[in-house]
Amino acid sequence: MIECLKTSGLEIRDIARFMELCQQGDASLRERKEMFENRRQVLLAEIARLQEQMNMIEFKCWYYQQALEAGCESAVQALIPQDLPEDIRRLYTASHQENQPDPGKTQDEKGTAQNDAAS
């Protein structure tokens, strides 16, 4: 159980709290359940973030493969977004969610993201 909590990213102090709650027995069932529900929400958000990143990576792999085959990027850029194959358009759309600003990014990262959005 402890290994599961650790690998899910739960902090040591929270694991220690969980162990204390276990020692309390049935009186702490609700609080233990809440800990797992909270952790589930954190992990679901992380999975969603990772899926967005994977969509971008998948799109970029396709993009650069097409550019290599065409011998230039301009041929691929001309396809974006309306003439992309349907599965690739879904990846493109999912990875370019209106380029919403991420408050956690530095100004340099934002500039890079804007440059990447063009490709």
Side-chain angles (χ1 to χ4, degrees), residues 30-107:
R30 184 172 311 280
E31 192 172 348
R32 285 185 276 161
K33 179 179 180 279
E34 288 173 5
M35 286 182 80
F36 279 98
E37 288 175 346
N38 291 339
R39 194 72 206 137
R40 176 175 48 193
Q41 292 306 311
V42 169
L43 289 174
L44 287 171
E46 179 70 7
I47 290 168
R49 185 185 66 76
L50 289 170
Q51 186 59 58
E52 288 176 17
Q53 292 176 351
M54 185 58 142
N55 290 339
M56 175 62 84
I57 296 298
E58 292 287 346
F59 171 73
K60 289 295 189 176
C61 287
W62 176 87
Y63 175 92
Y64 286 110
Q65 180 61 41
Q66 298 306 305
L68 284 168
E69 290 173 12
C72 64
E73 287 186 70
S74 61
V76 184
Q77 289 172 345
L79 299 173
I80 299 173
Q82 67 277 2
D83 294 325
L84 293 171
E86 184 60 35
D87 58 331
I88 301 303
R89 187 178 320 124
R90 279 193 299 270
L91 291 171
Y92 176 85
T93 301
S95 65
H96 290 79
Q97 297 286 329
E98 299 299 322
N99 293 319
Q100 297 174 359
D102 182 349
K105 287 186 178 178
T106 65
Q107 194 61 33

